[in-house]
Each structure stands twice: as structure tokens, then as C-alpha cells.
Amino acid sequence: MTIVSLRAIMDPAFDERYGVAAINIVDDLSLDAVLEAAVELDSPVIIQTSLKTVKAIGAVVLEKMFRARADEVAVPVAMHLDHCPDREWISICLAAGWSSVLFDGSHLDVAENTVQTAEVVAEARGYGADVEGEIETVLGVEDGIGSDVAAEVHPVEVSAQFISSTGVYCFAPAIGTAHGLYKGAPDLKPERVTELVELHPIPMVLHGGTGLSEAQFTDLIARGCAKVNISTALKIAFVDSHREYLEANPSKHDPPSMLGHVRSAVKQVALHHIGMFGSAGRAHAPTATTG
Ligand code: 13P
């Protein structure tokens, strides 16, 4: 199968209230591991890249690598740019072939964010791409973007107005989740998802997935979070599995064995999360093959 649009994957997920894992990959190995997990579970998957990863690898190379791999697997895959406050990089990724982008204008006031997000939606339409919008900064810094200071949370009516004025395909509401590892039990506001979906029924995006319980995922997905973002869990598995291998094999210099160990650790993270979100066996949902 080839790369499909975000909405081809998320429309059926939102309609039927299952979640699709949107996993931040960091290189070709982690991309392969996540795709292998999605194939094993016969699940659609969204591959995300942080802006830091795009800058490190290069948009054109990353897209080619991604497309080559996606073409080989029998499940629908969308390619999404995670939090990007930089309009120039939004344009670069859209031109390179990304399925969707999160224009992160949460540092702007809502009026300016609305104007700029509407411009990004118009630009993305020219490429058949979708846009995720956000007005409240997700707590926690992810690959250099975000803030450790809790952001102002707006009434859901402000978010609904932003959604209808901009035409974003999906929206990331502030619901008490945070990027990185939770230091205590998160104070979730799941009712905000329900209220927003009632006001404006578009797919919601759950940020800060690492560390939530299966019950929390299930509840938020049932309320309309059709895209579930996971990044920190993969980074931990990626780094710790290198460390484990090197500590267990201090005198070996055998990259394929070490990378095989890392790949299987990353794959487990993807299997674990995809397995909780209800998307297993949904790779061939009726609308999931249209690009
Ligand atoms: P975690 O890093 O907490 O898994 O959050 C991922 C995310 O929301 C990416 O935007």
C-alpha cells in the first residue's frame, strides 16, 4: 500500500471510535519497527516526525525513505509532521509530500493563530494534505518545542470557533495531558473532548500518550480522540535498548546484532500501544484505502 491521506485513516477511526497510533519515529530503524508492528496487528498507523527529526535527516530524504517503506507494507500509513510553529518548514514538508501537518500556533494569540492556521489549511489543500490545529500549548517540551509552564486553557467555545474559522481537519485540545513522563497522576479533563466533539464533530488528537493507562486511552478514544500520539515511550525504548545491549556485550562490535535488539524493543512499544487503541484488524476499513 502507499501513503494515504490522514483523513482516509482517521475518518473511519473517528466514526467507529477507535484510535490510531501516531508514533514519532527518529530514523529508518524506528520507522521499520513501527511499520512491522502495524503489519503484525493489521492496523492503520500514522508515522510522525518532529521538526527536529526532519531537520536532522532532511525533508526530501525522509519522505523518500518513508514512501519506499510504506509502499512495501500492506496497511495504510499516513505521514504527519508533529508540532511545527515554523511556516517555512510547514511549506517544505507539504511540498515534499507529507500527508498532514500540525501547525503549532499555540504561542500566538488565538486571533493571529486563526489567521495563520487558515492560511496553512489553504496551502495544504493544494497538496491534498490535512492540517491539525492547536491553540493551547501542550505541557512539556518535546524535541525542543513546547513549554514546561502550564498554558492558558480557553473555553471549548473558543476552540470550536477556531475549528470552524480555520477548517482544520483535526484538533488537539488541552485535556490535562503532557509530553514526556508524568511526574504524578495527570489531572485529565476528558469532558472537554466530549463537549468539543458535540460542538464541532471532528477527530480530536490526544497528545502526551506516554504513561496513560489503558482505561484512560479507552475513555478518551470513545469520546473522539481518533489520533493518539506516542513519542517518549519510543525514545526511551530506543535509547535504553542501545544501552542494555552495550552493557551486556561490552566487547562486541556487531552493529547488526545491536540494531536488531533495538528494533525489537521499539517494535514492542508500537505493538503495546497499537494493541490498546482498538485499531488492530482495521487496516482494511472501507474508506481506509483512498488517498
Ligand atoms: P509523549 O511524548 O508524551 O508520548 O507525547 C507525544 C506527543 O504528544 C507528540 O506530539
Side-chain angles (χ1 to χ4, degrees):
M1 212 169 273
T2 190
I3 299 176
V4 300
S5 67
L6 187 69
R7 67 183 62 215
I9 286 181
M10 279 176 64
D11 278 355
F14 183 61
D15 287 351
E16 295 172 41
R17 292 294 191 269
Y18 60 88
V20 179
I23 304 183
N24 290 51
I25 58 104
V26 295
D27 66 353
D28 55 339
L29 179 148
S30 48
L31 168 63
D32 283 349
V34 171
L35 290 179
E36 205 175 300
V39 169
E40 198 163 306
L41 294 176
D42 192 35
S43 171
V45 69
I46 299 160
I47 301 292
Q48 289 191 155
T49 44
S50 72
L51 181 56
K52 191 175 187 178
T53 297
V54 179
K55 286 180 177 174
I57 297 176
V60 172
V61 172
L62 192 51
E63 196 278 338
K64 280 193 195 320
M65 175 174 103
F66 179 82
R67 189 168 292 278
R69 293 293 203 264
D71 281 347
E72 288 168 357
V73 298
V75 297
V77 188
M79 181 179 195
H80 180 80
L81 175 64
D82 202 15
H83 300 272
C84 183
D86 185 332
R87 293 281 302 274
E88 199 181 327
W89 279 96
I90 291 269
S91 299
I92 290 170
C93 289
L94 287 172
W98 261 250
S99 316
S100 52
V101 294
L102 165 51
F103 171 59
D104 185 344
S106 61
H107 56 291
L108 305 169
D109 65 39
V110 177
E112 179 61 18
N113 190 355
T114 303
V115 169
Q116 292 211 29
T117 302
E119 288 171 4
V120 171
V121 170
E123 182 182 355
R125 252 184 217 136
Y127 296 99
D130 294 308
V131 177
E132 177 182 336
E134 168 178 358
I135 61 172
E136 293 123 344
T137 306
V138 179
L139 187 62
V141 179
E142 182 95 48
D143 277 359
I145 294 176
S147 167
D148 282 326
V149 179
E152 179 190 3
V153 175
H154 299 281
V156 286
E157 290 74 16
V158 174
S159 300
Q161 183 59 53
F162 173 84
I163 292 167
S164 56
S165 303
T166 56
V168 290
Y169 169 70
C170 57
F171 182 73
I175 52 171
T177 57
H179 292 143
L181 291 177
Y182 290 99
K183 295 180 183 83
D187 180 15
L188 298 184
K189 307 271 183 256
E191 66 286 352
R192 282 174 56 84
V193 176
T194 307
E195 288 164 14
L196 251 174
V197 167
E198 269 166 20
L199 285 172
H200 206 118
I202 62 166
M204 295 293 142
V205 181
L206 170 50
H207 282 256
T210 298
L212 296 184
S213 68
E214 183 161 6
Q216 288 167 328
F217 282 126
T218 303
D219 177 50
L220 289 164
I221 290 167
R223 291 170 188 268
C225 287
K227 174 172 178 278
V228 185
N229 287 5
I230 304 293
S231 174
T232 301
L234 182 146
K235 289 194 234 176
I236 291 173
F238 186 90
V239 174
D240 286 357
S241 57
H242 278 93
R243 204 181 339 261
E244 267 161 33
Y245 182 91
L246 293 169
E247 279 171 7
N249 302 281
S251 55
K252 265 197 188 169
H253 298 89
D254 177 6
S257 298
M258 181 179 75
L259 297 176
H261 179 72
V262 173
R263 182 178 166 132
S264 105
V266 171
K267 182 180 168 186
Q268 286 311 315
V269 168
L271 285 171
H272 173 67
H273 287 93
I274 295 170
M276 281 194 281
F277 300 162
S279 63
R282 310 269 196 170
H284 305 287
T287 57
T289 51
T290 52

Short mmCIF file of all heavy atoms in Angstrom, two decimals, residues 24 48 82-83 142 178-180 206-210 229-233, ligand 1:
data_model
loop_
_atom_site.label_atom_id
_atom_site.label_comp_id
_atom_site.label_asym_id
_atom_site.label_seq_id
_atom_site.Cartn_x
_atom_site.Cartn_y
_atom_site.Cartn_z
N ASN A 24 5.99 8.91 16.88
CA ASN A 24 7.13 9.70 16.40
C ASN A 24 8.33 8.78 16.19
O ASN A 24 8.86 8.22 17.16
CB ASN A 24 7.50 10.78 17.41
CG ASN A 24 6.47 11.88 17.49
OD1 ASN A 24 5.28 11.60 17.66
ND2 ASN A 24 6.88 13.12 17.38
N GLN A 48 4.76 9.80 12.61
CA GLN A 48 5.01 11.23 12.85
C GLN A 48 6.50 11.49 12.89
O GLN A 48 7.29 10.63 13.26
CB GLN A 48 4.44 11.66 14.20
CG GLN A 48 2.96 11.70 14.23
CD GLN A 48 2.39 12.37 15.47
OE1 GLN A 48 1.27 12.86 15.38
NE2 GLN A 48 3.07 12.42 16.58
N ASP A 82 4.67 16.57 13.23
CA ASP A 82 4.23 16.93 14.58
C ASP A 82 4.53 18.42 14.81
O ASP A 82 5.14 19.08 13.95
CB ASP A 82 4.96 16.00 15.57
CG ASP A 82 4.24 15.88 16.91
OD1 ASP A 82 3.06 16.27 17.01
OD2 ASP A 82 4.87 15.37 17.86
N HIS A 83 4.16 18.92 15.98
CA HIS A 83 4.27 20.35 16.33
C HIS A 83 5.27 21.14 15.48
O HIS A 83 6.49 21.00 15.65
CB HIS A 83 4.75 20.49 17.78
CG HIS A 83 3.82 19.88 18.76
ND1 HIS A 83 2.76 20.55 19.31
CD2 HIS A 83 3.78 18.63 19.28
CE1 HIS A 83 2.12 19.75 20.13
NE2 HIS A 83 2.71 18.58 20.14
N GLU A 142 8.91 18.85 23.83
CA GLU A 142 9.11 17.66 23.00
C GLU A 142 10.05 18.04 21.86
O GLU A 142 9.70 18.88 21.02
CB GLU A 142 7.74 17.22 22.45
CG GLU A 142 7.76 15.97 21.62
CD GLU A 142 7.44 14.73 22.43
OE1 GLU A 142 6.46 14.73 23.18
OE2 GLU A 142 8.20 13.76 22.30
N ALA A 178 0.33 15.68 29.05
CA ALA A 178 1.60 16.39 28.90
C ALA A 178 2.60 15.52 28.14
O ALA A 178 2.55 14.29 28.21
CB ALA A 178 2.17 16.73 30.27
N HIS A 179 3.50 16.17 27.43
CA HIS A 179 4.59 15.46 26.77
C HIS A 179 5.59 14.97 27.81
O HIS A 179 5.77 15.60 28.85
CB HIS A 179 5.34 16.39 25.81
CG HIS A 179 4.53 16.81 24.61
ND1 HIS A 179 4.61 18.07 24.07
CD2 HIS A 179 3.66 16.12 23.84
CE1 HIS A 179 3.81 18.15 23.01
NE2 HIS A 179 3.22 16.98 22.85
N GLY A 180 6.25 13.87 27.53
CA GLY A 180 7.28 13.36 28.43
C GLY A 180 6.67 12.43 29.47
O GLY A 180 5.55 11.97 29.32
N LEU A 206 -5.05 13.19 20.77
CA LEU A 206 -4.57 13.02 22.14
C LEU A 206 -3.05 13.14 22.15
O LEU A 206 -2.35 12.28 21.62
CB LEU A 206 -5.02 11.64 22.64
CG LEU A 206 -4.47 11.09 23.95
CD1 LEU A 206 -4.60 12.10 25.07
CD2 LEU A 206 -5.20 9.81 24.32
N HIS A 207 -2.56 14.23 22.71
CA HIS A 207 -1.11 14.41 22.87
C HIS A 207 -0.69 13.86 24.23
O HIS A 207 -1.50 13.71 25.13
CB HIS A 207 -0.74 15.90 22.76
CG HIS A 207 -0.71 16.38 21.34
ND1 HIS A 207 0.46 16.60 20.66
CD2 HIS A 207 -1.72 16.64 20.48
CE1 HIS A 207 0.17 17.00 19.43
NE2 HIS A 207 -1.15 17.03 19.29
N GLY A 208 0.61 13.59 24.36
CA GLY A 208 1.12 13.14 25.66
C GLY A 208 0.66 11.74 26.02
O GLY A 208 0.33 11.45 27.17
N GLY A 209 0.68 10.83 25.03
CA GLY A 209 0.17 9.48 25.27
C GLY A 209 1.02 8.63 26.21
O GLY A 209 0.49 7.80 26.95
N THR A 210 2.33 8.87 26.20
CA THR A 210 3.21 8.01 27.03
C THR A 210 2.82 8.11 28.50
O THR A 210 2.77 9.22 29.05
CB THR A 210 4.68 8.44 26.85
OG1 THR A 210 5.04 8.26 25.49
CG2 THR A 210 5.61 7.60 27.75
N ASN A 229 -1.12 10.23 20.10
CA ASN A 229 0.31 10.49 19.89
C ASN A 229 1.20 9.81 20.93
O ASN A 229 0.99 9.98 22.14
CB ASN A 229 0.58 12.00 19.99
CG ASN A 229 0.06 12.77 18.80
OD1 ASN A 229 -0.58 12.22 17.91
ND2 ASN A 229 0.34 14.06 18.78
N ILE A 230 2.21 9.14 20.43
CA ILE A 230 3.18 8.46 21.30
C ILE A 230 4.59 8.83 20.81
O ILE A 230 4.93 8.56 19.66
CB ILE A 230 3.02 6.92 21.22
CG1 ILE A 230 1.61 6.47 21.55
CG2 ILE A 230 4.07 6.22 22.10
CD1 ILE A 230 1.18 6.69 22.98
N SER A 231 5.38 9.40 21.71
CA SER A 231 6.75 9.72 21.33
C SER A 231 7.76 9.26 22.41
O SER A 231 8.68 8.50 22.13
CB SER A 231 6.89 11.24 21.10
OG SER A 231 8.23 11.57 20.89
N THR A 232 7.56 9.73 23.63
CA THR A 232 8.55 9.46 24.69
C THR A 232 8.80 7.96 24.87
O THR A 232 9.95 7.53 25.05
CB THR A 232 8.08 10.10 26.02
OG1 THR A 232 7.94 11.51 25.80
CG2 THR A 232 9.07 9.86 27.14
N ALA A 233 7.74 7.15 24.81
CA ALA A 233 7.91 5.70 25.03
C ALA A 233 8.87 5.12 24.00
O ALA A 233 9.70 4.26 24.32
CB ALA A 233 6.55 5.00 24.97
P1 13P B 1 4.61 11.69 24.59
O1 13P B 1 6.00 12.09 24.27
O2 13P B 1 4.21 12.02 25.98
O3 13P B 1 4.31 10.29 24.21
O4 13P B 1 3.65 12.62 23.68
C1 13P B 1 3.75 12.52 22.30
C2 13P B 1 3.09 13.66 21.63
O5 13P B 1 2.07 14.16 22.06
C3 13P B 1 3.73 14.16 20.41
O6 13P B 1 3.14 15.32 19.93
#
